[in-house]
Amino acid sequence: MIWYENNKDDIAVSTRIRLARNLEGVVFPQFLKDKKEVSDKIKDAVLKSNSTLSGEFEEIELDKLGEGEKRQLYEAHLISPAMLEGSGRSVLLSRDRTMSCMIMEEDHLRIQVILPGFDVDSAYETADRVDDVIEESVNYAFDEEFGYLTSCPTNAGTGLRVSVMLHLPALEAAGKMAGIVSSASRLGIAVRGMYGEGSAAEGSLYQISNQVTVGLTEKELTDKVKNVVGQIIELEKQTRESIYKNNPAQLEDKLWRSYGIIKYARSISSSEAKSLISNVMLGRSLGILPKEGKSGIECIIKTEPATLSGKEQLSPEERDKKRAQFLREEL
Amino acid sequence: MIWYENNKDDIAVSTRIRLARNLEGVVFPQFLKDKKEVSDKIKDAVLKSNSTLSGEFEEIELDKLGEGEKRQLYEAHLISPAMLEGSGRSVLLSRDRTMSCMIMEEDHLRIQVILPGFDVDSAYETADRVDDVIEESVNYAFDEEFGYLTSCPTNAGTGLRVSVMLHLPALEAAGKMAGIVSSASRLGIAVRGMYGEGSAAEGSLYQISNQVTVGLTEKELTDKVKNVVGQIIELEKQTRESIYKNNPAQLEDKLWRSYGIIKYARSISSSEAKSLISNVMLGRSLGILPKEGKSGIECIIKTEPATLSGKEQLSPEERDKKRAQFLREEL
């Protein structure tokens, strides 16, 4: 089941593992003329192994998709923003949408595993299994000193990015995010918006991930992210409690109003939706609002422009109307 | 039944007639040392006539009421703001709260009739009947040239004030109120806030009344107010239709949001309540929102500070909470 379905509106929304890999003796994608041959080699390695894993994947050629379909994969965090542009890119997706192998992104291969909640170990184990299966058929570019070689040096070494999406409305409201971003940075941990680098933290959703991939083992990197994320979750919990205790009436009023607007508004923009849904997620987790309907993150993803539009061509006004209707009925 | 109960959320909310009268050969209240003797004379004239009208009135001595109880009468428009201050004032109220005789206001006697909707003729007829009954026992100060003499010359002549409360959200939103105020003024018609002179037009509620009481007959004055009010109602209707036609989605969204906030908010200030209720009144009259629960004006009056508090002593925060609860359950 895709990571955002049956989500629990917890502080930790999802955990993502990404491994960057390139084939030995082949130039990086931006310099590669014949992408097809290398792509096919990687696809075969995933789809035609003896492992049961192979049977779980299906191929999606991005060149054959319309703009809207590509954006739907991006909105669901199944492909990276880089995969939206250029040509010759494809993605192998597991049928449950947990695993994806992006081919000809910045590197020849990016293995991604995304799970609901805070579950770094399971996500890493799965990514590692996919990595092992592929390595049975191909030789990765690997240097004894630098580790895995990557197109951008910031991904070299382990090629591992551990990323946990956290819902931090209380820390945000208390003005504590700037301090957290700077403390985390000193520990080599980046705090970014919902869609990673350069994206805004709409809906108080933040991606916490390791900045550096080299110099530490995979175990050390996952432990470090787990440790920092655990501390931020604890801080968020304490801040929620103190905000609630400090003025329960004010917080209850604010959260119920967001609920009321969602239940009755006829037009809601994408940005307002995230802010309202964020309040509903907070209200549910504090036991203030009823726990019914779909999770907050599922509603956020399903009301993103491309996912919401589906196969239809909708104007922004039509989308705002459809978004309001979806939220009225589903949240 | 009191004017604001079973109101229909129409553009015309209520009609009020007020007659200013003073006794012949007695100085005006502000100079009167022994108010009791004159008050008793007027009370007897109302309460002890042979007319069936007398049986409908009961006496309320304002000096015996607490501040909150006096304000409740004021919030219900049953006494004027002047009656809240000073001493020696009393009011005779009909049991159905339609008629009130204010004694020792600015004048010795002010007869008021207030009815739901736009019904100047009925209100005037009733006030005239009360006036006739009283005149059987007392002699009014009356001058052949000036008409009825009053403490303030602006009330002399007929002593008649015709006042219709209108709900004008569309004209307000369209920025047309300033033009209406100035056109009406040229016709001798004042446009004021919900509680008359100097009060704000919260909830888009306006009092339309004659400025001048002298130089025209009672019939001419009531006709003039009826005429101007009729035109303003027509303008408001047209403006509502054109705003709705112009962007139905936007208006529906705005009105449903107000409905949603009322259905779920936990704390609502008096001023916000009027604005939200105004939107619900508009939504009901346009057939956008469901017509259930109490009328908008009843909810406005019943959530005014003193009326809402009843016999309790409530802090502003407690009132905002109780107001939100009342509106959630009753509107």
Side-chain angles (χ1 to χ4, degrees):
Chain A
M1 181 170 287
I2 192 161
W3 64 277
Y4 57 72
E5 287 179 349
N6 281 337
N7 203 285
K8 293 202 186 69
D9 290 322
D10 286 334
I11 295 171
V13 174
S14 63
T15 301
R16 196 166 56 92
I17 290 288
R18 185 267 283 152
L19 298 173
R21 298 289 185 259
N22 289 278
L23 300 205
E24 196 179 23
V26 182
V27 294
F28 292 128
Q30 69 263 44
F31 306 115
L32 186 61
K33 293 237 168 80
D34 184 7
K35 291 181 180 167
K36 192 175 180 310
E37 191 189 342
V38 183
S39 291
D40 287 347
K41 204 169 168 184
I42 299 172
K43 286 179 198 171
D44 287 351
V46 178
L47 300 171
K48 297 184 179 167
S49 84
N50 293 324
S51 160
T52 54
L53 262 180
S54 285
E56 295 186 29
F57 281 95
E58 57 185 351
E59 182 187 351
I60 294 174
E61 279 182 67
L62 295 180
D63 290 349
K64 291 188 179 162
L65 297 187
E67 197 54 40
E69 292 167 301
K70 279 198 274 187
R71 290 202 68 88
Q72 289 173 27
L73 293 174
Y74 162 69
E75 289 172 352
H77 295 248
L78 299 178
I79 62 172
S80 63
M83 298 290 281
L84 292 173
E85 284 140 41
S87 63
R89 294 177 160 152
S90 47
V91 62
L92 307 176
L93 276 179
S94 68
R95 274 169 249 279
D96 70 357
R97 273 27 184 175
T98 297
M99 302 176 278
S100 53
C101 296
M102 288 170 256
I103 300 169
M104 297 298 147
E105 210 247 27
E106 196 180 282
D107 296 298
H108 294 143
L109 169 64
R110 292 214 163 166
I111 299 167
Q112 177 186 285
V113 173
I114 185 166
L115 296 178
F118 182 26
D119 196 0
V120 174
D121 291 340
S122 302
Y124 181 75
E125 276 161 33
T126 307
D128 195 39
R129 274 178 63 212
V130 178
D131 192 37
D132 287 347
V133 165
I134 296 170
E135 214 174 0
E136 286 168 17
S137 320
V138 303
N139 287 326
Y140 287 144
F142 186 84
D143 180 279
E144 282 306 321
E145 194 184 342
F146 294 116
Y148 293 102
L149 300 178
T150 52
S151 169
C152 177
T154 56
N155 295 313
T158 57
L160 168 66
R161 181 90 63 211
V162 187
S163 184
V164 182
M165 198 197 298
L166 298 182
H167 181 230
L168 305 175
L171 288 171
E172 197 175 81
K176 289 187 182 164
M177 282 313 299
I180 286 171
V181 170
S182 103
S183 310
S185 177
R186 280 195 297 275
L187 295 166
I189 299 290
V191 179
R192 299 190 175 104
M194 181 183 168
Y195 285 98
E197 208 163 343
S199 70
E202 288 190 302
S204 304
L205 290 167
Y206 293 84
Q207 297 274 5
I208 317 296
S209 62
N210 57 310
Q211 274 170 322
V212 179
T213 53
V214 73
L216 292 173
T217 65
E218 282 82 354
K219 174 85 170 67
E220 285 166 335
L221 281 175
T222 51
D223 281 351
K224 189 198 255 194
V225 175
K226 278 160 66 178
N227 183 7
V228 172
V229 165
Q231 286 181 47
I232 297 176
I233 290 174
E234 198 44 50
L235 264 178
E236 170 70 17
K237 264 189 203 160
Q238 287 168 12
T239 314
R240 286 181 181 194
E241 278 165 28
S242 98
I243 289 175
Y244 192 22
K245 247 188 214 161
N246 190 43
N247 195 337
Q250 194 180 49
L251 186 65
E252 284 169 10
D253 182 53
K254 179 182 155 184
L255 302 180
W256 276 111
R257 279 169 183 255
S258 292
Y259 186 83
I261 290 172
I262 281 183
K263 283 284 173 205
Y264 288 104
R266 260 50 188 169
S267 171
I268 302 181
S269 73
S270 168
S271 161
E272 190 194 7
K274 292 193 181 86
S275 153
L276 293 169
I277 292 170
S278 169
N279 283 340
V280 171
M281 289 167 74
L282 178 60
R284 284 175 175 172
S285 83
L286 286 172
I288 295 171
L289 299 184
K291 279 177 186 148
E292 57 189 21
K294 291 190 163 58
S295 76
I297 190 68
E298 178 167 359
C299 288
I300 286 180
I301 304 290
K302 289 195 170 166
T303 58
E304 288 284 27
T307 308
L308 183 71
S309 298
K311 289 185 201 309
E312 295 175 279
Q313 282 284 347
L314 300 179
S315 69
E317 290 73 27
E318 290 167 329
R319 281 204 304 268
D320 290 353
K321 209 175 151 184
K322 195 175 175 192
R323 183 178 293 113
Q325 193 191 345
F326 180 91
L327 294 176
R328 269 204 311 282
E329 293 167 2
E330 303 287 350
L331 189 70
Chain B
M1 182 171 285
I2 193 161
W3 63 277
Y4 57 72
E5 288 179 349
N6 282 335
N7 203 284
K8 293 202 186 70
D9 290 322
D10 287 334
I11 294 172
V13 174
S14 62
T15 301
R16 197 166 57 94
I17 291 287
R18 186 267 282 153
L19 298 172
R21 299 290 186 258
N22 289 277
L23 300 205
E24 196 180 22
V26 181
V27 294
F28 292 128
Q30 68 265 44
F31 305 115
L32 186 61
K33 294 238 167 79
D34 184 8
K35 291 180 181 168
K36 191 172 180 310
E37 191 188 343
V38 183
S39 291
D40 286 346
K41 207 171 165 182
I42 299 172
K43 286 178 198 170
D44 286 351
V46 179
L47 300 172
K48 296 183 179 167
S49 84
N50 292 323
S51 160
T52 52
L53 262 180
S54 286
E56 295 186 29
F57 282 94
E58 57 185 352
E59 183 187 351
I60 293 174
E61 279 182 68
L62 295 180
D63 290 349
K64 291 189 180 161
L65 297 187
E67 197 55 41
E69 291 167 302
K70 280 197 274 187
R71 290 202 70 89
Q72 289 173 25
L73 293 173
Y74 162 69
E75 289 172 353
H77 295 248
L78 300 177
I79 62 172
S80 64
M83 298 291 281
L84 293 173
E85 283 140 40
S87 63
R89 292 175 162 152
S90 46
V91 61
L92 307 176
L93 277 177
S94 68
R95 273 168 252 279
D96 71 356
R97 275 24 185 179
T98 297
M99 303 175 279
S100 54
C101 296
M102 287 171 256
I103 299 170
M104 297 297 147
E105 209 248 23
E106 196 179 282
D107 296 299
H108 295 143
L109 169 64
R110 292 212 162 168
I111 300 166
Q112 177 186 284
V113 173
I114 186 164
L115 296 178
F118 182 27
D119 196 359
V120 174
D121 290 340
S122 303
Y124 181 75
E125 276 161 34
T126 307
D128 195 38
R129 275 177 64 211
V130 178
D131 192 38
D132 287 347
V133 165
I134 296 169
E135 214 174 1
E136 286 169 17
S137 319
V138 302
N139 289 325
Y140 287 145
F142 186 84
D143 180 278
E144 282 305 321
E145 194 185 341
F146 294 116
Y148 293 101
L149 300 178
T150 52
S151 168
C152 177
T154 56
N155 295 313
T158 57
L160 169 65
R161 181 89 63 210
V162 186
S163 184
V164 182
M165 199 199 296
L166 298 182
H167 181 228
L168 305 175
L171 289 171
E172 197 176 80
K176 290 186 182 166
M177 283 312 299
I180 286 170
V181 170
S182 102
S183 310
S185 177
R186 281 196 296 276
L187 295 166
I189 299 290
V191 179
R192 299 193 175 102
M194 181 184 168
Y195 285 98
E197 208 164 340
S199 70
E202 288 190 300
S204 304
L205 291 167
Y206 293 84
Q207 297 275 3
I208 318 295
S209 62
N210 58 310
Q211 273 170 323
V212 179
T213 53
V214 75
L216 294 173
T217 66
E218 282 82 354
K219 175 85 171 65
E220 287 167 335
L221 281 174
T222 52
D223 281 351
K224 188 197 252 193
V225 175
K226 277 160 67 179
N227 183 7
V228 172
V229 165
Q231 288 182 46
I232 296 177
I233 290 175
E234 199 43 51
L235 264 179
E236 169 70 17
K237 265 188 202 157
Q238 288 168 12
T239 314
R240 286 181 181 194
E241 279 163 27
S242 99
I243 288 177
Y244 192 23
K245 247 188 215 161
N246 189 45
N247 195 337
Q250 195 179 49
L251 186 65
E252 284 170 9
D253 181 54
K254 180 182 154 183
L255 303 181
W256 276 112
R257 279 169 184 253
S258 292
Y259 187 82
I261 290 172
I262 281 183
K263 283 284 173 207
Y264 288 105
R266 261 49 188 170
S267 170
I268 302 181
S269 72
S270 168
S271 161
E272 190 194 8
K274 292 194 180 85
S275 153
L276 293 169
I277 293 169
S278 170
N279 283 340
V280 171
M281 290 167 73
L282 178 61
R284 284 174 175 172
S285 83
L286 286 171
I288 295 171
L289 300 184
K291 279 177 185 146
E292 56 189 21
K294 292 191 163 56
S295 76
I297 189 68
E298 179 167 357
C299 288
I300 286 180
I301 304 289
K302 289 195 170 167
T303 58
E304 288 284 28
T307 308
L308 182 71
S309 299
K311 290 186 199 308
E312 295 174 279
Q313 281 285 347
L314 299 180
S315 70
E317 290 73 27
E318 290 167 330
R319 281 204 305 268
D320 290 353
K321 210 174 150 185
K322 194 175 175 191
R323 183 178 293 112
Q325 192 191 345
F326 180 90
L327 295 175
R328 271 204 311 281
E329 293 167 2
E330 302 288 350
L331 190 70

